[in-house]
Amino acid sequence: MMFPLVRDLAVGSRVGPIPVAVTCRVLGFSKQAFYQWKANPVSQRDWDDAHLLNTAITIHHDDPEFGYRFITDELTRVGITASRNRVNRLCSQQRLFSSHASKRGRPRRPGPPVHDDLVTRHSPHPCPTGSG
């Protein structure tokens, strides 16, 4: 998020304070958005997501076999109402998966060759594409 940068530049830098209007124009957003953020830096949705996520982490810590569907059911029993999509999004962001789930993450790249290429073939004919 760029709003802290705007705040820091408005307070002062090596050249002096830079007006909020100029900084917002250069970064491509409105002054109103900056001042709205300045009045309330943490939105209600972020606040609610943080509380929901803390409870979900506690539930997952108690029983790591729970995936997002069971965590959603447990949140309902605790008294927190949230959709499965929301819980899935938050659990995916925090990498809270069931212990029985398949491995998540980036696909692995193949490593270096196990042995040297001992076959050195040279064609007597030139390559039709001209690349080799």
Side-chain angles (χ1 to χ4, degrees):
M1 178 155 303
M2 294 291 189
F3 294 138
L5 174 65
V6 174
R7 182 188 57 209
D8 293 343
L9 290 174
V11 170
S13 62
R14 286 185 275 184
V15 256
I18 299 172
V20 171
V22 172
T23 309
C24 290
R25 190 177 328 117
V26 168
L27 294 175
F29 50 83
S30 65
K31 293 185 303 182
Q32 291 84 1
F34 167 71
Y35 286 116
Q36 183 180 6
W37 171 84
K38 188 176 176 185
N40 188 14
V42 179
S43 68
Q44 186 63 39
R45 180 178 177 177
D46 291 341
W47 186 259
D48 293 340
D49 282 351
H51 285 288
L52 189 143
L53 194 55
N54 284 340
T55 308
I57 289 172
T58 303
I59 291 170
H60 187 265
H61 180 68
D62 292 341
D63 195 354
E65 295 177 353
F66 279 5
Y68 77 93
R69 290 185 181 108
F70 289 114
I71 290 174
T72 305
D73 295 339
E74 289 294 317
L75 286 170
T76 305
R77 287 191 193 117
V78 172
I80 298 174
T81 305
S83 69
R84 283 191 176 174
N85 288 338
R86 182 178 179 195
V87 175
N88 183 20
R89 176 179 53 85
L90 293 173
C91 287
S92 294
Q93 288 174 352
Q94 292 296 314
R95 304 195 51 82
L96 291 177
F97 298 113
S98 170
S99 60
H100 297 296
S102 62
K103 297 294 181 190
R104 307 269 191 221
R106 289 178 260 156
R108 303 289 181 227
R109 302 184 90 188
V114 179
H115 53 79
D116 294 333
D117 184 17
L118 300 177
V119 179
T120 54
R121 296 183 182 153
H122 298 287
S123 175
H125 305 292
C127 182
T129 59
S131 63

